[in-house]
Amino acid sequence: MPPGKDLQSLSDQEVVALARAGKEAAYRELLRRYERPVFSLIFRMVRDRALAEDLAQDSFVKVLNALESYRPEYKFSSWVFKIANNVAIDQLRRRELNTLSLDGAPNASTRDEVEATALQAVDRTESPLSELESKELGSHIEQAIAKLRPEYRSCILLRHVEGRSYEEIAESLDLPLGTVKTYIHRARHELREYLEPYRE
Amino acid sequence: MSHKQLTDQELDALVVRSLSRLPAYAPSRGFEAAVMARVMLPQPRPVALYRRAVAWAAEPRRAVALAGSYAALALIALGVVVPWLVSHSPQISFALDWALGRSLALVHQTSAAFAGWTLSSGIAQRVQSLPVSAPAALAAGSLIAAAYAGCAVGLHYLLRTPRGLDATLPAQA
């Protein structure tokens, strides 16, 4: 480690170099940096907390056990999201979990989780603007995201929830840049359509 | 309460804004530990090679084959070495006698040289001239011996298992 710098102030590449040298604290630092974004991405993809935990674990085990094969010319975050997305997509293909339950995801245990994962009847007593501006919009958006195709879901989550650039998303998902832009455009269009009842 | 109809741009902006405000979910508390338990940390190359060799040899068939090979080689070695020793016993006995004689001669020479140096350097006279009586020398010798024994006993107690550490634990309620 460069003198006078702690792990938190180092770049991903520097932390990876330390991890490759066998420093356990560097592994934990990488885990700390990406556990929330990766878990959030996978949770929103599969909509099952226990399954998302298992898949996030699998993703990190793959990432951390394969650090030797990581090529530093690519962004580390792209590599991590690529592996996490592949794990989630594989799971969705295997078990076809991209369906919605009216009562929320099977493992939603808290009220927030149930609200975030359940389909809710539209209450249109409020005006569109106040309705859309309300806190409930988040849960409606979550539901709308769950209805998107998995490819669109990955793109829109990485772009607008994780704040990744188009180039990084293309790198993460192994897609051409134009395809990523198209997917995000279509995903936003579909989200607008799902939220159409709130327009007025 | 506004009843204004949202335009496409406004709705799109709201979608983007809402997406960016979605919370990040956190995994459960044991997540990091669960991942780290499954991660193989890099080890120094010799350690990794040794562990790989041990793991390779631990497979039952390989272990039996290795043990068999070892026993066969030991038998072959015995079958070769024992007859050779028997057939060369006179020469071996002579060589051992010669080596022993040379070693004893070397010890004698060294002792004689040390004794001669002690006398010629005057150390013996200086020790004799020290104003120490025989009872005082005896007392000092005894004191040193006692101190040495005390140190030995102290070290023994210091290095042994701490008292009570291996006592049986009370049964859990």
Side-chain angles (χ1 to χ4, degrees), chain B residues 63-73:
Chain B
V64 169
L66 283 172
S69 309
Y70 178 78
L73 281 173

Side-chain angles (χ1 to χ4, degrees), chain B residues 112-173:
Chain B
F114 180 71
W117 174 78
T118 308
L119 290 172
S120 63
S121 64
I123 287 177
Q125 285 84 354
R126 266 183 236 167
V127 171
Q128 283 174 347
S129 65
L130 284 174
V132 179
S133 63
L138 190 66
S142 303
L143 197 66
I144 289 169
Y148 183 82
C151 286
V153 171
L155 273 175
H156 170 74
Y157 276 94
L158 196 70
L159 299 178
R160 71 173 195 155
T161 306
R163 191 182 295 271
L165 195 71
D166 51 359
T168 50
L169 291 170
Q172 294 281 334

Side-chain angles (χ1 to χ4, degrees), chain A residues 27-28 31 35-36 39-40 43-44 49 53 57-58 65 127 132-133 137 142 160 188 192 199-200, chain B residues 1-2 5-6 8 12 17-18 20 22-28 32 34 36 38-42:
Chain A
Y27 278 81
R28 292 185 186 279
L31 198 49
E35 64 179 359
R36 275 174 177 253
F39 178 73
S40 297
F43 187 30
R44 288 195 167 100
R49 188 173 182 89
E53 288 237 1
Q57 264 190 41
D58 290 346
N65 279 341
S127 71
L132 285 171
E133 291 284 9
L137 186 60
E142 294 270 18
H160 292 299
R188 273 163 56 174
R192 283 202 309 271
R199 187 191 282 272
E200 58 181 346
Chain B
M1 193 177 288
S2 167
Q5 184 166 343
L6 295 175
D8 276 353
D12 192 51
R17 202 161 64 228
S18 305
S20 65
L22 287 178
Y25 292 109
S28 61
E32 186 182 315
M36 289 308 291
R38 293 169 61 193
V39 171
M40 288 156 43
L41 295 172

Side-chain angles (χ1 to χ4, degrees), chain B residues 67 76 82 91 99 106 114 119 135 157:
Chain B
I76 291 167
V82 170
Q91 291 96 317
L106 194 64
F114 180 71
L119 290 172
Y157 276 94

Side-chain angles (χ1 to χ4, degrees), chain A residues 42-62:
Chain A
I42 294 177
F43 187 30
R44 288 195 167 100
M45 293 291 283
V46 301
R47 304 189 65 245
D48 178 325
R49 188 173 182 89
L51 180 60
E53 288 237 1
D54 288 346
L55 295 178
Q57 264 190 41
D58 290 346
S59 306
F60 277 112
V61 170
K62 278 185 183 178

